Structure formats: C-alpha cells, structure tokens
Amino acid sequence: MEINSVSDKYLRPLQDLRISIMDKCNFRCSYCMPAEVFGEDYVFMREEELLSFDEIERLVKQFTKLGVKKIRLTGGEPLLRKNVPQLVKRLSSLIGIEDIALTTNGVHLVKQAKALKEAGLIRVNVSLDALDTDIFQKMNGRKVTSSVVLKGIEAARAAGLQVKINMVVRKGVNEGEVVKLAKYCKEQNITLRFIEFMDVGQTNGWDFSQVVTKKELLEKVSAIAPIEAVERDYLGEVASRYRYKGTNTEIGIISSVSDTFCGNCTRARISADGKLFTCLFAEDGYDLRDFIRSGASDDEVEKKITGIWSNRVDKYSEERTEETVKNRKKIEMSYIGG
C-alpha cells in the first residue's frame, strides 16, 4: 500500500486515530459525564446515528493511506456497543495498522477480554481513579466498586492483553489515592498513568485550583521509591514516562495543563457519529459520516481528510488562558472520546 503521509501547518504528521464507537457510558464520572447533566432523561445517539462497523472500517482504510498506524477505540464506554470483538478483528487485519488498543472503565472486561484478545486487540487502558470504595464511587457517580474494575484488569491480563491504568487526579477529591494506587501498580507490575484534571468540555466545573500538577504527582510517587525518567517511545507520545529504579515498572503523567505536549501531537479523533476532530479541545468537527453516506468515493474521502489535517493549527493547551477556559465552547470528552 502506498502511503501519502500528510502533515499539518506545524509539520506534525497524522499517525494516531482515536475512534469513539459509543456515546453512552455506565459511569457518570464528574470530569467527563457528570450525572447532573447526563441524567436519566438525557438523549443519547440513536443506533442509526452511530457510524456502522462498515463505515468505521472504510474510514480507517483511508486514514492508513495517510500514515495512521495506531488505532484506539474509545467512548463513552466502548464495550457497551454490541460485537466489539468483530470490529477489532476487522481493524486489526487492515494493512498498515500496527497497534490497536481500547480505553474502558473495565466493568465488561471479565466477559469480553478473551474474545477481544483473540480478535487482535493488543492493549487496554483501564480507568481507575481510586481504590477506596467511597472515593471511587464519588468519582464514578455510580455504586460500582473498585473491586469490579480490578477483576476486569485481572481478566485482561489473564487473556494476554497489555494493561495500563489511567487515573484522573482531582485535588480535594482523590489525590489521597495517588500513593495507594501507585503502590498497587508497582506490586502488580502494571503501568499507571496519572492524568491532570483537564478543562475538556463545558460541564466538568474545571478550574486550575483543582489540578494536581505533574510536579506534585512526581513528589508523591517518589516517596514510594526512587524514580528515573524514561525516553519517549515515539513521536506524539503524550505521557512523560518514569520507572522505579532497578525495575521495569513504569508510571506516566499526562500533563496537558502544567506541561503541555501540543508541539508533537499526531492524533486525530472521530466521534461516535462520525465527526473528525483535530484536537481534544476542539470547538467543532468535520462531518465524515454524512460525507460518506452521500456517496463520496474513497479518493474523495482521502482528499477531504488530507485537506482537514494539512490545514490543522491546533495547539490549545499551549495557548490556554483564563479567558479561553471560560469563553471557548469545547466538545464534551464523552462525545469526542477522550
């Protein structure tokens, strides 16, 4: 397959694609889908509004022609969608795809991890914001306990999937769980990635006073054991990586607030209803679903994606100010796929 690599206005190549396959979620995390906004009467997408598996596969084929090598399936909670292993099998068999992963809250991994691995999934990133039951339930907005997620993690590892745990840290809520979760992951030799509380969307009540910064997180983790920096694996890697000295157990910190990484971002996102977003903090997307449903050819789809990415100038987290936080109308994380 001939690759027609495309770069944006800052010479950042298109290499990574995140695809939201479901806007619904069984959690109501305060930083993503707060229950007071996403209540019982909230109207989610109808099935016909979602990209079909055929449409997802077709789009991914066009993205691979432009240099995309890595796919991550997200949501909402992606495992609420029926037959996800079938989609994984289709995408993992495409020429050019070197890595396929899935981000999940872990609840459905006990039942689905084996089938996902057999279909070709390589990795899962599991969201776990606390080990303490009360704090975890406060974070997830439901009565789900951390033990349920831990069983999902065990099932994923038993199936042969690579596992990373993602922890969003919010000052005054779960920062006391940082060391506990770090100790657990160190004992289990699981990579833990801390995520600074970000101003994604309009509904999570973000302000900087609630951010536990990269520097603060490193100080907390260093109390467990000495750590050392690890070189980045690839262009566009968003986490600053560290490991405990004398081990191969890593931690990572995604610090889009205190230490931005826009400069080498290679990631595009597709929402569950088929809109292409060139930044997590974007205000608007480009409708690919209606474009392909209108009869566009593969060449036309490839040209449209090329035109969008080649004109990309996003670097929001480098330009973030108090005014942009207040006045910029950003897409919700649950819609864009995190």
Side-chain angles (χ1 to χ4, degrees), residues 254-268:
I254 298 175
S255 53
S256 79
V257 178
S258 68
D259 183 19
T260 65
F261 44 76
C262 288
N264 60 5
C265 177
T266 61
R267 182 174 298 170

Side-chain angles (χ1 to χ4, degrees), residues 74-261:
T74 68
E77 170 48 51
L79 294 182
L80 290 180
R81 182 103 181 234
K82 294 178 182 177
N83 303 317
V84 176
Q86 291 181 17
L87 176 63
V88 170
K89 186 173 183 178
R90 293 170 69 165
L91 299 182
S92 64
S93 65
L94 295 178
I95 296 171
I97 297 302
E98 299 175 358
D99 183 89
I100 182 164
L102 181 141
T103 298
T104 174
N105 60 34
V107 170
H108 294 284
L109 282 176
V110 169
K111 291 184 177 180
Q112 298 197 46
K114 188 171 183 290
L116 288 165
K117 173 63 177 177
E118 290 173 350
L121 192 71
I122 296 172
R123 299 178 291 116
V124 289
N125 282 46
V126 182
S127 300
L128 179 60
D129 296 325
L131 291 175
D132 178 88
T133 295
D134 290 340
I135 296 173
F136 183 58
Q137 290 178 342
K138 183 176 181 180
M139 291 291 287
N140 69 47
R142 291 292 188 253
K143 295 299 182 182
V144 182
T145 65
S146 57
S147 62
V148 173
V149 179
L150 292 174
K151 286 176 183 176
I153 291 169
E154 291 169 8
R157 298 181 83 189
L161 290 166
Q162 298 172 29
V163 175
K164 292 180 181 177
I165 292 178
N166 288 347
M167 178 186 186
V168 174
V169 187
R170 193 168 183 173
K171 189 169 287 187
V173 182
N174 68 331
E175 63 183 312
E177 293 289 293
V178 167
V179 171
K180 292 180 191 175
L181 196 54
K183 284 181 177 178
Y184 168 81
C185 289
K186 184 174 184 292
E187 291 167 1
Q188 297 295 320
N189 192 24
I190 298 174
T191 296
L192 172 61
R193 301 204 308 181
F194 298 109
I195 302 173
E196 290 182 345
F197 179 41
M198 293 182 283
D199 56 318
V200 181
Q202 305 294 116
T203 62
N204 68 5
W206 185 91
D207 67 66
F208 189 80
S209 68
Q210 299 176 70
V211 177
V212 181
T213 66
K214 174 181 174 180
K215 182 176 181 228
E216 293 171 306
L217 290 166
L218 286 174
E219 287 173 356
K220 289 177 182 291
V221 175
S222 296
I224 300 171
I227 59 174
E228 59 187 2
V230 177
E231 289 294 321
R232 292 188 185 274
D233 263 346
Y234 55 89
L235 178 69
E237 185 174 25
V238 297
S240 299
R241 295 166 53 222
Y242 304 84
R243 65 173 163 240
Y244 298 101
K245 288 184 179 179
T247 77
N248 63 354
T249 303
E250 291 191 12
I251 64 164
I253 302 177
I254 298 175
S255 53
S256 79
V257 178
S258 68
D259 183 19
T260 65
F261 44 76

Side-chain angles (χ1 to χ4, degrees), residues 199 201-202 283 316 321-330:
D199 56 318
Q202 305 294 116
E283 296 184 85
Y316 171 80
T321 66
E322 194 171 331
E323 285 303 306
T324 61
V325 170
K326 289 179 181 177
N327 299 326
R328 186 178 173 113
K329 185 176 179 287
K330 298 184 291 293

Side-chain angles (χ1 to χ4, degrees), residues 5-14 306 309-312:
S5 298
V6 59
S7 294
D8 67 9
K9 293 293 186 182
Y10 295 111
L11 303 181
R12 297 170 295 189
L14 174 58
T306 299
W309 191 266
S310 62
N311 285 294
R312 176 187 187 234

